[in-house]
Amino acid sequence: MLFGRDIRTTLPAKPFRDPGNAPVLDDMRALCSKQKLYYDQHAISLKQLTIGDTIRIRDPEGGWSESATVIRQEAPRSYIVKLAAGILFQRNHQDLLEIQPQTPVFPALDVNESIRQQDVPHRTT
C-alpha cells in the first residue's frame, strides 16, 4: 500500500490489488518465459550416475582428483562419493566426471600359456 509495498502488521486486512499493475505483471511473465527459452537452448541434462560408478571429483584449484566411487545419491543432483583413501564427500553432479574403470597396463598372463610358449623349440638359422 505504501510505495507499492504491503504494511507489516499483525492486524487482519484485505489484500490490496492494483488493477493498473496487470500490464506490468504480464510483461514480466513474458520476459521470464523468453529468458527461459534462451536458457533452455544451451542447457544440457547430465546423465544420471549409478551406485558403483567410477568418477573423478573437481578440485577447487582446478583439474580433477584421483578416481572415486559413487556410494549413494542424496538428492536429484547430489551424490556421496568415496575416495580410494576411504574419505567420503558429498558433491553436486556438475563437480563429478564419470570415467571408465582403469584397466591394467599389462594384463595378467596365464601361467599355463607362458609355459606352453617356453616349450616351443626356437628355430636356429
Side-chain angles (χ1 to χ4, degrees), residues 4-96:
R5 298 189 176 114
D6 291 333
I7 298 174
R8 294 172 56 185
T9 181
T10 57
L11 296 174
K14 185 176 179 182
F16 176 73
R17 303 280 184 225
D18 184 11
N21 208 12
V24 174
L25 293 175
D26 291 339
D27 289 344
M28 286 179 60
R29 286 188 190 102
L31 287 174
C32 286
S33 64
K34 185 176 181 181
Q35 182 180 6
K36 180 183 178 345
L37 173 76
Y38 286 123
Y39 176 81
D40 289 344
Q41 286 178 353
H42 300 284
I44 57 169
S45 299
L46 297 173
K47 181 182 162 252
Q48 190 83 6
L49 295 175
T50 58
I51 295 173
D53 280 350
T54 306
I55 50 107
R56 291 189 185 268
I57 302 172
R58 186 187 312 268
D59 283 334
E61 295 88 24
W64 298 93
S65 72
E66 69 274 6
S67 64
T69 307
V70 175
I71 301 298
R72 70 175 181 267
Q73 185 174 5
E74 281 292 304
R77 296 183 336 205
S78 180
Y79 294 91
I80 302 292
V81 296
K82 183 178 182 180
L83 292 177
I87 302 169
L88 295 177
F89 288 106
Q90 181 174 356
R91 291 291 182 262
N92 191 299
H93 192 316
Q94 68 184 18
D95 294 326
L96 302 176

Side-chain angles (χ1 to χ4, degrees), residues 107-123:
L109 295 176
D110 184 14
V111 176
N112 294 333
E113 182 66 29
S114 63
I115 292 172
R116 275 188 241 123
Q117 288 177 354
Q118 291 175 358
D119 290 343
V120 176
H122 293 290
R123 194 184 227 185

